[in-house]
Amino acid sequence: MKHLLLSSLMLLGLASAGGAAAPTPTPLTATAAIRDAAGQTHGSARFVQVGAGVQVTVEARGLTPGQHGMHVHEYGRCTPGVDPATNTVVPFGGAGGHFDPGMSKNHDAPSTDNKHGHAGDTPVLNVGADGVGRASFTTTKISLTGINGVLNRSLVIHAQPDDFKTDPAGATGAREQCGVIVRENFSVRDYPLPGHQDYPEGVAVDSARGIIYTGSAATGTIYAINANTGAVSKFQEGGALGRMSALGLKVDKLGRLWVAGGTQGTVSVLSPEGMTVKVLETPKSPRPYVNDLTPAPDGNVYVTDSARPVIFRVKPDLTLESWLDLSKTPIKYGPGINLNGIVATPDGQSLLTIQLNTGDLWRIDLRTKAVRKVMGGLVNGDGLLLDGRTLYVARNKDQVISKVTLSADYGSGQLVAEEPLMGLRFPATLARYGGSDLIVTQAQLDKLQGGTPETPFKLTRFRKF
């Protein structure tokens, strides 16, 4: 994974440039206050990212002497919840099952790789005669960033020893204590959404009105969020003129909201009042995937299709055309999601677009249509946000936001930092709010075809890094 290759050098810091020595990055750290079912604090755990591994130190009191199973669970909720094995409500059932990013569906030893065992399977907690349990270990099964990231998940201590083989939890018995893993010295603001099937993919901001828009990949519903109060209202119901999905969103200079329609192959234009101005259909195809779009200084809106090798263009008169045949360029489409996020450079000369399945960032000249590879290494790159010559990339499956510094002509770039915030869940797209803040969708599209998403769905606002 790219984030692991870079973490020892630049996690939350800057890579060296022009021969200058890189500053020593601040270690990424997190803590968990360990509580019993009554909410009384009995200890703490600390997590420190060290290269590709995490140092974990745990101390918990009030336990029966002997060994106790201890695991990282999927959700950051130390609340009662249903145990699927017994269909009864149990203490800390809200934490869900063991954290299993490798989808192994198998409880195993802490030394087992994540393809064959839960990432959350940790060593036991040894409790002395005084009822105090202590553990200290380093593991590469979990991380504080990326696909194995445990931020905003929970550490659960069980009543019995762990046999490291019995599914689903090593015969460890009842959940006795629990703590949510929270990043230290970092803050964000979340905007929760009301629906249980929202899957917010796109985000756009109308700065003049203080409104944040987001759209549901599952239903096509568009929400309007008051950026100050967080109040959420439906801007337009899903299904409007056939729109069953809403992916990339952008607000143009007229305050109109543009919506990429995904597999329906459409581009919708909505008025600031939420009325449909026009629905544009791309050419008929068995596999359309209109994914993202961007208004450009030339007055046109450029649109990516992740399945068909073409860039569409919507002209100011709201007519759509196939603008660039990508099969005749260095961009080669393959299996999976191809071109995704797209932005126009402020000088009006080019577009930047990310190819999710290859991790390649491309520059397209708006005058000559010449295509140039800017850089690679951004696998799972989804939405883009360009801020001057700084490009932010939401890398969905990797669950980080990457920061790239671009050259003056936007023709080359360098990855300088990767940011997990307080624990990202499949981040899809980004928008700028004001001069210092960014907003990212926690889309959870990896759960759309199966799995249980964390609710409420949310957007997260944070300071630029």
Side-chain angles (χ1 to χ4, degrees):
M1 301 301 292
K2 295 296 184 292
H3 67 274
L4 294 180
L5 294 175
L6 289 158
S7 60
S8 61
L9 175 64
M10 59 177 62
L11 183 63
L12 302 178
L14 298 176
S16 60
T24 302
T26 301
L28 188 60
T29 61
T31 59
I34 298 174
R35 297 180 171 90
D36 62 19
Q40 298 297 311
T41 301
H42 287 270
S44 64
R46 193 161 193 269
F47 303 78
V48 180
Q49 188 79 42
V50 181
V54 176
Q55 291 179 346
V56 183
T57 306
V58 182
E59 181 175 300
R61 298 174 292 278
L63 297 164
T64 303
Q67 291 189 336
H68 290 251
M70 181 172 62
H71 315 112
V72 176
H73 285 240
E74 185 172 5
Y75 304 126
R77 297 193 295 259
C78 289
T79 57
V82 175
D83 180 354
T86 62
N87 199 32
T88 59
V89 176
V90 298
F92 310 125
H98 290 186
F99 178 45
D100 189 22
M103 301 298 291
S104 70
K105 303 185 187 301
N106 181 55
H107 180 72
D108 215 308
S111 58
T112 304
D113 66 79
N114 289 354
K115 290 184 179 180
H116 299 94
H118 303 145
D121 298 340
T122 69
V124 297
L125 184 71
N126 291 297
V127 179
D130 58 358
V132 179
R134 295 182 175 88
S136 182
F137 57 90
T138 298
T139 176
T140 57
K141 289 175 67 65
I142 62 173
S143 176
L144 296 184
T145 182
I147 192 170
N148 297 323
V150 297
L151 291 174
N152 199 27
R153 304 192 190 279
S154 57
L155 183 69
V156 176
I157 299 171
H158 292 257
Q160 303 297 326
D162 195 329
D163 65 11
F164 296 120
K165 61 181 181 181
T166 302
D167 288 325
T172 51
R175 305 178 183 194
E176 291 195 322
Q177 296 183 4
C178 178
V180 178
I181 302 167
V182 179
R183 183 173 172 182
E184 292 185 305
N185 303 316
F186 197 85
S187 62
V188 300
R189 178 178 179 181
D190 289 331
Y191 294 100
L193 300 177
H196 292 288
Q197 295 292 321
D198 283 332
Y199 296 97
E201 206 276 354
V203 61
V205 171
D206 185 334
S207 298
R209 301 169 67 196
I211 295 174
I212 304 164
Y213 295 107
T214 191
S216 170
T219 69
T221 294
I222 308 292
Y223 290 109
I225 305 168
N226 185 303
N228 292 323
T229 68
V232 181
S233 61
K234 282 187 180 180
F235 185 69
Q236 194 178 81
E237 190 76 44
L241 295 181
R243 188 190 66 245
M244 303 307 296
S245 181
L247 300 184
L249 304 179
K250 293 293 189 300
V251 174
D252 66 15
K253 293 181 179 179
L254 300 177
R256 298 176 301 185
L257 182 67
W258 294 68
V259 185
T263 56
Q264 291 178 284
T266 59
V267 175
S268 299
V269 186
L270 312 183
S271 75
E273 295 74 37
M275 303 299 292
T276 300
V277 176
K278 195 163 187 180
V279 177
L280 304 165
E281 295 188 3
T282 59
K284 296 297 184 183
S285 165
R287 293 183 62 243
Y289 201 142
V290 174
N291 203 328
D292 202 9
L293 38 79
T294 186
D298 63 8
N300 299 303
V301 173
Y302 295 86
V303 184
T304 60
D305 189 299
S306 296
R308 296 174 289 179
V310 62
I311 299 286
F312 297 105
R313 180 170 72 175
V314 182
K315 295 188 287 186
D317 63 359
L318 299 185
T319 58
L320 182 144
E321 62 181 357
S322 298
W323 177 72
L324 177 59
D325 181 356
L326 295 171
S327 65
K328 299 177 181 179
T329 74
I331 300 174
K332 303 304 177 185
Y333 270 40
I337 305 296
N338 289 274
L339 288 194
N340 196 326
I342 185 170
V343 292
T345 59
D347 60 11
Q349 296 184 15
S350 59
L351 304 170
L352 297 174
T353 183
I354 188 77
Q355 190 168 0
L356 184 143
N357 53 0
T358 66
D360 293 332
L361 179 68
W362 300 93
R363 179 188 184 275
I364 303 173
D365 190 286
L366 282 170
R367 182 179 62 84
T368 67
K369 300 185 181 180
V371 176
R372 171 181 175 181
K373 183 176 175 179
V374 177
M375 63 181 294
L378 298 170
V379 177
N380 299 314
D382 199 326
L384 302 179
L385 174 68
L386 186 60
D387 183 28
R389 288 196 290 116
T390 297
L391 182 72
Y392 294 94
V393 185
R395 292 175 57 195
N396 55 35
K397 187 178 179 181
D398 288 347
Q399 302 190 115
V400 295
I401 297 168
S402 294
K403 179 180 180 180
V404 173
T405 297
L406 298 165
S407 60
D409 66 351
Y410 303 96
S412 62
Q414 181 180 29
L415 177 62
V416 295
E418 293 185 333
E419 177 56 65
L421 303 187
M422 296 292 284
L424 287 166
R425 304 293 185 260
F426 211 86
T429 54
L430 296 149
R432 178 171 42 240
Y433 187 81
S436 60
D437 288 3
L438 304 179
I439 300 170
V440 63
T441 60
Q442 304 224 30
Q444 299 188 71
L445 298 185
D446 53 332
K447 304 292 180 68
L448 186 54
Q449 300 300 322
T452 304
E454 298 179 41
T455 55
F457 286 95
K458 61 187 178 181
L459 279 59
T460 297
R461 177 175 165 181
F462 61 100
R463 289 276 178 160
K464 291 190 292 189
F465 59 96

